[in-house]
Amino acid sequence: SLQPHVVLRCSWSGGGCSVAHNTSSHLLQTYQALEQELRGGTPYSYVRGFGLLAALHVKDDAHTPPLYATIFYLIDARPPFRVLSLSPKLCISENLDDISLSATCALQYVTGLVVDEASNLALVSFGEMDLKMHVAALPLDKVLVLTQTHSLHEEGLSSSECVDWSFDA
């Protein structure tokens, strides 16, 4: 899980698992308090100089029917693998220029992430309306900037900068 962020150590023989690390964040607890459920997401991709990048979807139960959006986030590549920073809620599109900051999305959920640093790409697979699957090729440098909108530290939230974003910049 992301909140609390629980890392398991699993045995190759027998398959038994135990908790290796367990970290928490007041900001991530706020999502739960506001009926913003942090749900499944992508595997982690290592990004040199940043840590491990992943994406998850947020289920907003404050609306009927619930709305879904994507959050990209970074965790430390070393134990205890703390959540370092995260993006605002986003709507993803296959069109590079259509990714937007948005408080509302229909039913969109991320399932996969592949990073190609040499090509500056983050390939993201996502489903929409439980009907279609898509792949978006997003500029990795822009995704990394977005993931640093809310920076977390052991003391709690250290900075948060919610700004309009344009890929033309």
Side-chain angles (χ1 to χ4, degrees), residues 32-80:
Q32 294 169 328
L34 297 173
E35 298 182 64
Q36 306 285 307
E37 187 179 343
L38 304 174
R39 299 184 65 147
T42 69
Y44 294 104
S45 291
Y46 178 75
V47 180
R48 192 177 32 244
F50 287 90
L52 300 172
L53 174 67
L56 59 81
H57 59 274
V58 180
K59 180 182 178 188
D60 183 347
D61 284 326
H63 296 88
T64 304
L67 301 174
Y68 288 72
T70 298
I71 290 178
F72 288 95
Y73 64 99
L74 289 165
I75 67 167
D76 196 339
R78 296 171 302 194

Side-chain angles (χ1 to χ4, degrees), residues 20 27 66-67 82-83 90 93 113 130 133 142 152 167-168:
L27 176 65
L67 301 174
R82 280 185 318 102
V83 177
L90 303 167
S93 170
L113 172 68
D130 284 338
M133 291 301 295
K142 307 287 185 178
L152 310 177
F167 281 107
D168 299 331

